Amino acid sequence: MNALTQLSEEERMFQEAVRDFAETEVRPRVQAMEKAAQLDPALIPKFFELGLMGIEIPEAHGGAGGSLFMTVLAVEELSALDASVAIFVDVQNTLVNALLLKWASDDIKQRYLPKLCADLVGAYALSEAGSGSDAFGLATKATKRGDTWILDGRKLWITNGADAGFFVIFANTDFAKGYKGITAFAVERGFKGFSVGKKEDKLGIRASSTCELILEDCRVPKANVLGEVGKGYKIAIETLNEGRIGIGAQMLGVARGAWEYASKYAQERKQFGKPISDFQGIQFQIAQMATEIEAARLMVYNAARMKDAGMNFVKEAAMTKLFCSQVAERVTSLAIEIYGGYGFTRDYPVEKYWRDSKIGKIYEGTSNMQLATIAKLVMGGK
Ligand SMILES: Cc1cc2nc3c(=O)[nH]c(=O)nc-3n(C[C@H](O)[C@H](O)[C@H](O)COP(=O)(O)OP(=O)(O)OC[C@H]3O[C@@H](n4cnc5c(N)ncnc54)[C@H](O)[C@@H]3O)c2cc1C
């Protein structure tokens, strides 16, 4: 039997490659990207070159032929330095590529998967101004006209919106059928009637673009329906179940990054004539943080391995996202305290981790939504 944290040779080499990439390419850019509130465009082709944008796509379609486990390894490594870079890669792999791999026709796979591995950035558009937790209350409408679907509506909060050329968009084809009218469409940025609207000015993950999408008489060819008409609700839920493991990995990385800074700082900062790490009060905080990070990592690894093994992982994925986002918020907050006054300033790195941690409790289902899923499953539907 293997320990959860025992990596195969391939996994270990991949993890090291991402760690090296993060150190050499991401770390030097973090502060500037945070200030500019955008990813450095020079980084994007590098993600593709390293194979980070098509981790689970089979080699036949130009991908790395890897696993969700490898995706979470990458997301953790990137998040330890910058959660915005990590979510860019995470959305592509766990939401866009995963959805296409599971639900798209062979024709769509052939048309888009090689591009998604080469230079096409993807986004996943479910939320709207009026429908977040109640995602199936979406108001975007799809009307059939000959061989074309006409989409009308607005999407809000769409990660990678500013950078993406490919969008999975959920719209309702028949409101009379309620959520059973929801359908997923593959929409290219250049389709007539599609445009990207306002970019949000956010508390955290500032370098990640979060945009409104505008669909005005947007023409989508019939062949670009993802899965079946009316099955979008199932596609949306099942994709997000997997995505939540990725967010768990993001929060794990955020917690780890802040912890690494705090534990190093504690050994350098002197008060009362000795490093503050000599005080048991600080040692215990650092030990508690390390323990919570280890627990978070085991949940992420286990949920990803369950998915890769074809097991049912819905409860574990919800628990992972819930717990990892709590750990991230606690650990990053303590990291600021360990830095004292310096931690409260933008001249030191830890306050950014704390701001970046907050999103973990909100996107891909708020913590309350995860608790609702967990409660339903652990109480046997009662
Ligand atoms: C930075 C960022 C990036 C995002 N990226 C994407 C993306 O790429 N694609 C996408 O589709 N969406 C994206 N989202 C949207 C995100 O998924 C939603 O914000 C989230 O699902 C919550 O929806 P809401 O904001 O409408 O909050 P609401 O649903 O209005 O929730 C408000 C509060 O009410 C609580 N609540 C609501 N219903 C219940 C209930 N039944 N029981 C108990 N509590 C409840 C919630 O837990 C929350 O605390 C993103 C959001 C942000 C902020």
Side-chain angles (χ1 to χ4, degrees):
M1 293 294 265
N2 289 335
L4 266 178
T5 47
Q6 221 172 335
L7 306 188
S8 71
E9 188 58 12
E10 189 193 8
E11 289 163 351
R12 199 184 49 73
M13 281 170 58
F14 179 72
Q15 184 188 45
E16 266 169 29
V18 183
R19 193 172 289 171
D20 284 352
F21 171 82
E23 274 301 329
T24 54
E25 299 288 353
V26 178
R27 192 189 286 281
R29 294 177 160 97
V30 173
Q31 268 189 328
M33 296 195 298
E34 177 73 6
K35 273 213 180 89
Q38 74 168 75
L39 291 183
D40 182 341
L43 261 185
I44 298 175
K46 294 178 194 284
F47 298 142
F48 284 102
E49 274 161 37
L50 192 63
L52 288 178
M53 299 299 271
I55 299 171
E56 291 168 74
I57 295 180
E59 286 167 17
H61 286 299
S67 56
L68 176 62
F69 189 78
M70 288 168 74
T71 303
V72 299
L73 289 178
V75 172
E76 178 191 338
E77 291 307 321
L78 297 172
S79 300
L81 292 183
D82 188 38
S84 295
V85 163
I87 195 64
F88 186 82
V89 167
D90 177 81
V91 164
Q92 177 98 354
N93 285 282
T94 71
L95 299 184
V96 179
N97 297 347
L99 187 153
L100 261 61
L101 282 172
K102 187 162 177 195
W103 301 96
S105 63
D106 286 345
D107 162 54
I108 290 186
K109 284 183 185 160
Q110 266 155 24
R111 279 193 284 139
Y112 293 113
L113 288 179
K115 289 186 188 158
L116 286 160
C117 297
D119 57 8
L120 185 63
V121 177
Y124 176 93
L126 178 64
S127 305
E128 299 180 2
S131 59
S133 299
D134 180 17
F136 296 160
L138 62 84
T140 297
K141 185 169 86 174
T143 318
K144 188 99 177 278
R145 206 180 290 158
D147 278 348
T148 307
W149 285 94
I150 312 291
L151 269 51
D152 280 292
R154 279 174 186 236
K155 294 289 172 185
L156 202 60
W157 314 116
I158 307 310
T159 299
N160 295 354
D163 320 277
F166 179 85
F167 298 80
V168 173
I169 295 190
F170 293 87
N172 200 316
T173 51
D174 187 353
F175 285 101
K177 290 189 181 150
Y179 69 88
K180 289 193 172 169
I182 296 174
T183 303
F185 296 90
V187 177
E188 294 178 24
R189 197 182 188 96
F191 282 179
K192 197 170 174 294
F194 176 89
S195 59
V196 176
K198 176 176 154 260
K199 182 174 142 189
E200 304 296 337
D201 182 10
K202 309 192 296 295
L203 170 77
I205 56 163
R206 290 184 56 76
S208 161
S209 66
T210 310
C211 301
E212 185 181 24
L213 306 182
I214 302 161
L215 301 143
E216 276 170 350
D217 209 19
C218 173
R219 281 139 205 270
V220 183
K222 196 175 79 177
N224 276 28
V225 168
L226 291 162
E228 284 170 46
V229 171
K231 286 282 157 58
Y233 71 96
K234 194 167 155 61
I235 296 174
I237 289 189
E238 293 193 10
T239 305
L240 286 171
N241 282 337
E242 193 171 329
R244 282 166 191 155
I245 305 174
I247 303 304
Q250 185 197 29
M251 291 297 115
L252 162 64
V254 165
R256 184 186 111 195
W259 180 89
E260 283 169 357
Y261 274 116
S263 99
K264 189 158 169 280
Y265 181 83
Q267 292 167 65
E268 290 163 359
R269 170 71 174 168
K270 289 202 173 94
Q271 287 294 279
F272 302 97
K274 47 178 143 168
I276 57 169
S277 60
D278 279 11
F279 302 116
Q280 200 179 50
I282 296 283
Q283 289 170 10
F284 282 9
Q285 285 179 322
I286 291 191
Q288 177 70 33
M289 291 153 86
T291 306
E292 293 194 21
I293 291 168
E294 181 68 9
R297 177 172 297 113
L298 297 180
M299 290 185 83
V300 171
Y301 281 17
N302 188 49
R305 292 224 192 267
M306 286 177 78
K307 193 270 158 190
D308 287 335
M311 296 166 72
N312 185 333
F313 61 89
V314 175
K315 182 185 76 186
E316 286 75 10
M319 287 176 165
T320 298
K321 179 180 181 286
L322 175 78
F323 184 72
C324 292
S325 60
Q326 293 170 346
V327 168
E329 204 177 290
R330 272 198 299 271
V331 166
T332 55
S333 172
L334 264 175
I336 295 178
E337 291 172 38
I338 288 173
Y339 266 74
Y342 299 104
F344 201 64
T345 71
R346 299 227 160 154
D347 296 333
Y348 287 80
V350 282
E351 60 84 32
K352 171 179 179 294
Y353 282 92
W354 184 58
R355 288 186 288 105
D356 286 349
S357 77
K358 193 71 223 179
I359 192 61
K361 292 184 171 179
I362 298 170
Y363 59 15
E364 297 199 29
T366 64
S367 289
N368 276 359
M369 292 299 107
Q370 307 310 318
L371 287 166
T373 300
I374 298 163
K376 200 162 86 185
L377 292 168
V378 297
M379 298 195 301
K382 272 179 253 162

